[in-house]
Amino acid sequence: MIKPSIPKGTRDFGPAVVRKRHYIFQTIRETFELFGFQPLETPAMENLSTLTGKYGEEGDKLIFKILNNGDILGQAQMAKDSRELATLLCEKALRYDLTIPFARYVVMRQHELALPFKRYQMQPVWRADNPQRGRYREFYQCDADVVGSHSLLNEVELLLIYDRVFSRLGMQGYEVRINNRKILSGLAELIGKPEQLMDITIAIDKLDKIGIQGVEKELLDRGLSQQDVDIINNFLRIDGNNDEKLEQLQVLLQSSTTAQKGIAELSFVLNSGLAKFQSPPILDVTLARGLNYYTGLIVEAKAPPSVKMGSIGGGGRYDDLTGLFGLPGLSGVGISFGVDRIYDVLEELQLFPATAQQGTRVLFLHMGEQSLPAAFQYLMQLREKGVAAELFHEPAKMDKQMKYADKRGIPYVVIIGENELQENSLSIKNLQTGQQQKIKVEELAGFDFK
Amino acid sequence: MIKPSIPKGTRDFGPAVVRKRHYIFQTIRETFELFGFQPLETPAMENLSTLTGKYGEEGDKLIFKILNNGDILGQAQMAKDSRELATLLCEKALRYDLTIPFARYVVMRQHELALPFKRYQMQPVWRADNPQRGRYREFYQCDADVVGSHSLLNEVELLLIYDRVFSRLGMQGYEVRINNRKILSGLAELIGKPEQLMDITIAIDKLDKIGIQGVEKELLDRGLSQQDVDIINNFLRIDGNNDEKLEQLQVLLQSSTTAQKGIAELSFVLNSGLAKFQSPPILDVTLARGLNYYTGLIVEAKAPPSVKMGSIGGGGRYDDLTGLFGLPGLSGVGISFGVDRIYDVLEELQLFPATAQQGTRVLFLHMGEQSLPAAFQYLMQLREKGVAAELFHEPAKMDKQMKYADKRGIPYVVIIGENELQENSLSIKNLQTGQQQKIKVEELAGFDFK
């Protein structure tokens, strides 16, 4: 018999991990709800045609496809290459992100939805990426998007959501960095090569990894002149506080009306005075975000610098996402939380509260048939009070039962032996302190199993 | 452009439905936790070899397989039939139930788990069944299992979980029916054909659908004699209250030690006196449950008879599930909730509480730039108090903003016009009653948006 295993890049989540993940999800969900976002869930399987062509050529290769059921041999014989074979054999595929299913949903329900539609979605996605540290083939995304509104109030609200969630999680030192794609467009205009916007964006996006000289080289490789590169260099060296940066942008990009629009948008988001942030967003002109559908604000959330983790969330404004499915003209803006990375950050900084790790609070020892009815009665009494409690499943040596409590991390055991039975009392042992005390049965309901 | 759609048998869950489903999940989860069960989550994808052969030949056909990435054309050409082709092209498959992944997990983690291991799991599963009313290709299972204990206390606890969940959901008239596979084994022994236990089980399992004469015919078709059928008939006609039924079983099956063991187990579960049920389990000797791995208690939960729905949950004790993966000798017992059907029952009986359907409570109207800072400030104040609130995204006609609140089902709007701004007041309109009142801004934090 082969040793059982799971597919590479996937994970089992045991009890402790599920609880801690649940705490993160709950914090995010609660915030989404307070801000008026509504939950949506879409199927794990989408029609392959819904997904194909939406994530670039590289993305298409990483989509997990689901084999059609029934007779597939005949169809297989018609294929000329692997790609065609996959299309012949598969009509369905696994969700690759939450954005495309959201757009698909909006188009299907356009006549019943109240616009703007503010939805959040927290579900797993699947990608056939090569697994590595922090990168999995199955992972959760947590997205909030507003579709059907151009108002910059949405940008402000989404930034406040980041602020509230990271503050609530106790993640001191997190940073929310923002920029605007219109500024990058303006830059491309300034050097007279608007058609190379994507080349410029992709190169700048690598700044963190390859440094400014690497970006320079990449820009030259992508066909920009040394003069162009010098201008971009000046742009990347813009520095100071948010207001100082905005001023420098204003000067450098004054000839581009697109850039001016981007600067005005950033000004509003940073200086509207409407929102009070725990940790105000930072304007970062070098922020580019590779994905090409953004058209306005772009945002990236970063873990505290003491943790080597980088991005723990991102998003931006995109025009016309639903246009892909035949409903043009709807603008959208959204953010996403990287739950797996947030988990690692909280773990490293030991920020999970004790309550996020609590399971069973009390184990009733099984002291034999005689005291079983009493034990069961008090067990149920605690449960009715909302205290998670268990009874050891069989009479066994005290030592064995204690070991079970210990291994499970159950902090209290209740002992009802002959003495306790006669006295109508219970002995309660706190396994963390080793303290044991006897209480009257009437006191149980009020006892604090903290 | 093709109209977007989703694969047949799958569903989008919009906001109202997600909230109501969440309420069911929460009720079940809370109960599982109170009873000391621990959460587990396994990947959507399992190795195909983990799943194959575990669900019978019919089940194997219904497993959704995931196409390998990379070059598949070469391998495809080696296949002689569709089945072989699928095995050549697919290493992974979608989870078909939660039980096999659980068993696989227990075997992988056997050295670190505290036994008995009480786990719950609430995740979607996928089956390539033909979709029909109440049957989907993607649906959730909610399972609780105990593995590593023979104690009948587990049976009692699991029945109490059913009792608590259905009571909490307000589902008056639900029934929990139980039987024991050892009794069916005893019956097969009694007629001298223990090897036909599965035939007998499968025939009896259809009683609800085909009636007693149908069962008779099926038993004869499956090679039992008229004399055998008469005995089974007597068995199926056992009637009365639980104690009367136990007595009749005792008499009819006295020659079978296996049956006697089953009767003793049922006796304990029904008459231990440990548990107090809102709605005590009913002994139903005709309950068979088709799945063949059960070896002790079997249980089925039924919706109130006023709703034509049938089973809303089931389970039982199985020996040696982990033996499939090389770890023999672990006994397990578990139950499952049919969330989709429970949803339909609660909907039909209008049992979803108002709180399970609440989203945003308050919409601040956007009355123009002048009052925007005030509106935003009070908006944030409410959110800090835990009240889900929104601001309309742009200045627009009152009528349009009201329509949005109405379409979204938001019960209150707050209006800050020129007057309110001057007076430091807010106008609050209850859209359900039509009543509007003016309050001082200091009163907002204490206002009850119920």
Side-chain angles (χ1 to χ4, degrees):
Chain A
M1 185 169 307
I2 303 161
K3 247 182 141 176
S5 64
I6 52 177
K8 71 173 176 174
T10 70
R11 295 163 289 171
D12 286 321
F13 297 121
V17 180
V18 173
R19 289 211 171 91
K20 287 191 265 188
R21 287 171 60 89
H22 191 69
Y23 161 74
I24 299 173
F25 288 126
Q26 276 301 104
T27 306
I28 298 173
R29 182 198 310 277
E30 185 209 38
T31 304
F32 286 163
E33 288 273 348
L34 282 178
F35 278 71
F37 285 74
Q38 303 180 275
L40 172 69
E41 288 178 17
T42 62
M45 302 191 282
E46 292 277 351
N47 291 325
L48 182 54
S49 59
T50 299
L51 306 186
T52 306
K54 308 302 190 299
Y55 306 106
E57 213 168 310
E58 214 31 58
D60 275 356
K61 285 188 201 151
L62 303 183
I63 294 171
F64 279 113
K65 296 162 194 79
I66 296 164
L67 196 68
N68 295 342
N69 289 77
D71 173 42
I72 49 171
L73 193 68
Q75 288 181 292
Q77 284 156 351
M78 291 157 53
K80 286 183 296 290
D81 57 37
S82 287
R83 197 174 181 171
E84 196 188 333
L85 180 60
T87 316
L88 284 168
L89 297 183
C90 302
E91 282 170 5
K92 296 178 289 294
L94 290 178
R95 191 168 49 214
Y96 184 87
D97 74 357
L98 302 179
T99 311
I100 291 298
F102 169 55
R104 191 262 309 142
Y105 176 83
V106 169
V107 174
M108 282 175 71
R109 304 298 175 114
Q110 54 185 289
H111 302 297
E112 57 193 84
L113 287 178
L115 291 183
F117 180 49
K118 300 165 72 173
R119 88 85 175 77
Y120 72 88
Q121 194 168 350
M122 306 166 75
Q123 292 190 283
V125 300
W126 296 270
R127 297 183 182 177
D129 252 327
N130 257 343
Q132 49 181 263
R133 186 175 174 276
R135 193 199 283 165
Y136 304 98
R137 292 186 152 191
E138 172 180 68
F139 59 97
Y140 264 74
Q141 291 193 332
C142 293
D143 287 15
D145 289 82
V146 187
V147 77
S149 166
H150 289 93
S151 169
L152 291 169
L153 287 172
N154 298 305
E155 271 82 342
V156 174
E157 296 249 73
L158 290 167
L159 293 174
L160 278 169
I161 286 177
Y162 267 146
D163 197 56
R164 185 179 194 275
V165 168
F166 295 133
S167 307
R168 288 269 154 160
L169 293 175
M171 210 188 272
Q172 273 171 26
Y174 67 88
E175 282 181 359
V176 175
R177 298 179 162 265
I178 65 173
N179 196 8
N180 194 300
R181 269 289 169 85
K182 293 190 180 79
I183 286 175
L184 296 172
S185 297
L187 185 64
E189 279 175 24
L190 185 67
I191 60 174
K193 293 175 181 163
E195 75 285 358
Q196 289 203 285
L197 171 60
M198 275 320 295
D199 288 315
I200 296 170
T201 306
I202 289 168
I204 292 179
D205 196 39
K206 296 183 183 164
L207 182 62
D208 271 359
K209 283 186 201 142
I210 60 179
I212 197 143
Q213 271 151 7
V215 173
E216 226 171 282
K217 185 174 174 309
E218 172 128 5
L219 287 168
L220 291 169
D221 288 351
R222 285 174 180 267
L224 277 80
S225 71
Q226 186 58 50
Q227 201 188 346
D228 299 338
V229 172
D230 290 342
I231 295 173
I232 293 172
N233 243 328
N234 281 338
F235 172 83
L236 293 177
R237 286 178 206 280
I238 284 176
D239 206 6
N241 65 29
N242 287 345
D243 285 336
E244 288 162 358
K245 285 180 194 160
L246 283 171
E247 266 173 51
Q248 292 167 66
L249 283 171
Q250 198 94 42
V251 174
L252 186 68
L253 298 168
Q254 59 187 324
S255 65
S256 160
T257 49
T258 311
Q260 291 301 319
K261 193 142 186 278
I263 294 168
E265 288 177 10
L266 280 176
S267 274
F268 179 84
V269 168
L270 290 168
N271 297 325
S272 74
L274 294 173
K276 285 177 191 58
F277 293 94
Q278 299 284 324
S279 174
I282 296 164
L283 172 52
D284 178 355
V285 300
T286 72
L287 181 66
R289 290 191 68 71
L291 273 169
N292 60 16
Y293 53 68
Y294 293 123
T295 51
L297 176 88
I298 45 183
V299 52
E300 193 160 286
K302 291 191 172 232
S306 61
V307 189
K308 296 269 160 294
M309 184 60 73
S311 172
I312 51 174
R317 180 173 284 275
Y318 43 86
D319 287 332
D320 222 22
L321 193 68
T322 55
L324 294 168
F325 299 107
L327 179 63
L330 281 188
S331 184
V333 56
I335 56 169
S336 185
F337 286 89
V339 170
D340 290 289
R341 288 185 168 190
I342 291 172
Y343 182 96
D344 290 343
V345 171
L346 298 186
E347 195 71 306
E348 190 167 332
L349 298 178
Q350 300 189 302
L351 291 173
F352 284 109
T355 49
Q357 306 179 57
Q358 272 178 10
T360 301
R361 303 300 295 155
V362 183
L363 178 71
F364 283 79
L365 299 193
H366 194 315
M367 309 290 287
E369 298 307 317
Q370 212 193 345
S371 65
L372 185 60
F376 207 93
Q377 181 194 336
Y378 300 127
L379 169 74
M380 290 304 291
Q381 195 182 97
L382 282 190
R383 288 171 177 168
E384 266 159 46
K385 290 270 168 198
V387 180
E390 290 178 48
L391 167 68
F392 196 72
H393 66 121
E394 61 186 11
K397 284 196 181 137
M398 191 96 146
D399 187 44
K400 186 180 171 187
Q401 302 192 44
M402 288 299 218
K403 256 193 194 148
Y404 172 82
D406 186 53
K407 206 165 174 185
R408 282 282 312 280
I410 299 174
Y412 292 91
V413 299
V414 172
I415 303 157
I416 308 176
E418 270 178 50
N419 287 343
E420 285 86 356
L421 213 51
Q422 274 177 5
E423 300 166 4
N424 272 325
S425 70
L426 309 159
S427 289
I428 299 176
K429 183 165 185 173
N430 179 330
L431 296 187
Q432 285 153 328
T433 63
Q435 273 187 332
Q436 183 164 329
Q437 64 181 117
K438 218 178 241 186
I439 63 166
K440 298 216 175 89
V441 294
E442 307 84 59
E443 295 173 284
L444 179 67
F447 193 89
D448 186 9
F449 293 97
K450 62 170 178 287
Chain B
M1 187 169 305
I2 303 161
K3 249 182 138 177
S5 65
I6 52 178
K8 71 173 177 174
T10 70
R11 294 162 291 171
D12 285 320
F13 297 122
V17 180
V18 173
R19 289 212 171 90
K20 287 191 266 189
R21 287 170 62 89
H22 191 69
Y23 160 74
I24 299 173
F25 288 127
Q26 276 301 104
T27 306
I28 298 172
R29 181 198 311 275
E30 185 210 38
T31 304
F32 286 162
E33 289 273 347
L34 282 178
F35 279 70
F37 285 74
Q38 302 180 276
L40 172 69
E41 288 179 15
T42 62
M45 304 190 281
E46 292 276 351
N47 291 325
L48 182 55
S49 58
T50 300
L51 306 185
T52 305
K54 308 304 190 298
Y55 307 106
E57 213 168 312
E58 214 30 58
D60 275 355
K61 286 187 200 149
L62 303 183
I63 293 172
F64 280 114
K65 296 162 195 79
I66 295 163
L67 195 68
N68 295 342
N69 289 75
D71 174 42
I72 51 172
L73 193 68
Q75 288 181 292
Q77 283 156 351
M78 292 156 54
K80 286 185 294 292
D81 58 36
S82 286
R83 198 174 181 169
E84 196 188 332
L85 180 59
T87 316
L88 284 168
L89 298 183
C90 302
E91 282 171 5
K92 296 177 289 292
L94 289 179
R95 192 167 50 213
Y96 184 87
D97 74 356
L98 302 179
T99 311
I100 292 297
F102 169 55
R104 191 261 311 141
Y105 175 85
V106 169
V107 174
M108 282 175 69
R109 304 297 175 114
Q110 56 185 288
H111 301 296
E112 57 194 84
L113 286 178
L115 289 183
F117 179 48
K118 300 165 72 173
R119 87 84 173 78
Y120 72 88
Q121 194 168 351
M122 308 166 72
Q123 291 189 283
V125 300
W126 296 269
R127 296 182 184 179
D129 252 327
N130 258 340
Q132 48 182 263
R133 185 178 175 277
R135 192 199 283 164
Y136 304 99
R137 292 187 151 191
E138 173 180 69
F139 59 97
Y140 264 74
Q141 290 193 332
C142 292
D143 287 15
D145 288 82
V146 187
V147 77
S149 166
H150 290 92
S151 169
L152 291 169
L153 287 172
N154 298 304
E155 271 82 342
V156 174
E157 297 249 74
L158 290 167
L159 293 173
L160 278 169
I161 286 178
Y162 268 146
D163 197 56
R164 184 179 197 274
V165 168
F166 295 133
S167 307
R168 288 269 154 161
L169 293 175
M171 211 188 272
Q172 274 172 26
Y174 67 88
E175 282 180 358
V176 175
R177 297 179 163 265
I178 65 172
N179 197 7
N180 194 301
R181 269 288 169 86
K182 295 191 179 77
I183 287 176
L184 296 172
S185 297
L187 184 64
E189 280 176 24
L190 185 66
I191 60 173
K193 293 175 180 162
E195 74 285 359
Q196 289 203 285
L197 170 60
M198 274 320 294
D199 288 315
I200 296 170
T201 305
I202 288 167
I204 291 180
D205 196 39
K206 297 182 183 165
L207 183 62
D208 271 359
K209 282 186 202 144
I210 61 179
I212 197 144
Q213 273 152 6
V215 173
E216 228 170 278
K217 185 175 174 307
E218 171 127 8
L219 288 167
L220 291 170
D221 288 351
R222 285 174 179 267
L224 277 79
S225 71
Q226 186 57 51
Q227 201 187 345
D228 300 339
V229 172
D230 290 343
I231 295 173
I232 293 173
N233 243 328
N234 281 338
F235 171 83
L236 293 177
R237 286 177 206 281
I238 284 175
D239 205 7
N241 64 29
N242 287 345
D243 285 337
E244 288 162 358
K245 285 180 195 160
L246 283 171
E247 267 174 49
Q248 292 167 68
L249 283 172
Q250 198 93 42
V251 175
L252 186 68
L253 298 169
Q254 59 189 322
S255 65
S256 160
T257 48
T258 311
Q260 292 300 320
K261 191 140 186 278
I263 293 167
E265 288 177 10
L266 280 175
S267 275
F268 179 84
V269 168
L270 290 168
N271 298 324
S272 73
L274 294 173
K276 284 177 191 60
F277 293 94
Q278 299 284 323
S279 175
I282 296 163
L283 172 53
D284 178 355
V285 301
T286 73
L287 181 66
R289 291 191 65 73
L291 272 171
N292 60 15
Y293 53 68
Y294 293 122
T295 51
L297 176 87
I298 46 183
V299 53
E300 192 161 287
K302 289 189 173 234
S306 61
V307 188
K308 297 269 161 295
M309 184 60 73
S311 171
I312 51 173
R317 181 173 284 275
Y318 43 87
D319 287 333
D320 222 20
L321 192 70
T322 55
L324 293 168
F325 300 109
L327 179 64
L330 281 188
S331 184
V333 56
I335 57 169
S336 184
F337 287 89
V339 170
D340 289 290
R341 288 183 168 192
I342 291 172
Y343 182 96
D344 290 344
V345 172
L346 297 187
E347 194 72 307
E348 189 166 332
L349 298 177
Q350 300 189 301
L351 290 174
F352 285 109
T355 48
Q357 306 179 55
Q358 272 177 13
T360 302
R361 305 299 296 153
V362 183
L363 177 71
F364 283 78
L365 299 194
H366 194 316
M367 309 291 286
E369 299 307 317
Q370 212 193 343
S371 64
L372 186 61
F376 207 93
Q377 181 194 336
Y378 300 127
L379 169 74
M380 289 305 292
Q381 195 181 98
L382 282 190
R383 288 172 177 166
E384 266 158 45
K385 289 271 167 196
V387 180
E390 292 178 46
L391 167 68
F392 197 72
H393 66 122
E394 61 186 11
K397 284 197 181 135
M398 192 96 147
D399 187 44
K400 186 180 171 187
Q401 302 192 44
M402 288 298 218
K403 257 193 194 147
Y404 172 82
D406 186 53
K407 205 165 175 185
R408 282 282 312 279
I410 300 173
Y412 292 91
V413 299
V414 173
I415 303 157
I416 308 176
E418 269 178 51
N419 286 342
E420 285 86 356
L421 213 53
Q422 272 176 7
E423 299 165 5
N424 271 324
S425 71
L426 309 159
S427 289
I428 299 177
K429 182 164 185 173
N430 179 330
L431 296 188
Q432 285 153 328
T433 63
Q435 272 187 332
Q436 182 164 331
Q437 63 181 117
K438 216 178 242 186
I439 63 166
K440 296 216 175 91
V441 295
E442 306 85 58
E443 294 174 284
L444 180 67
F447 192 88
D448 187 8
F449 292 97
K450 62 172 178 291

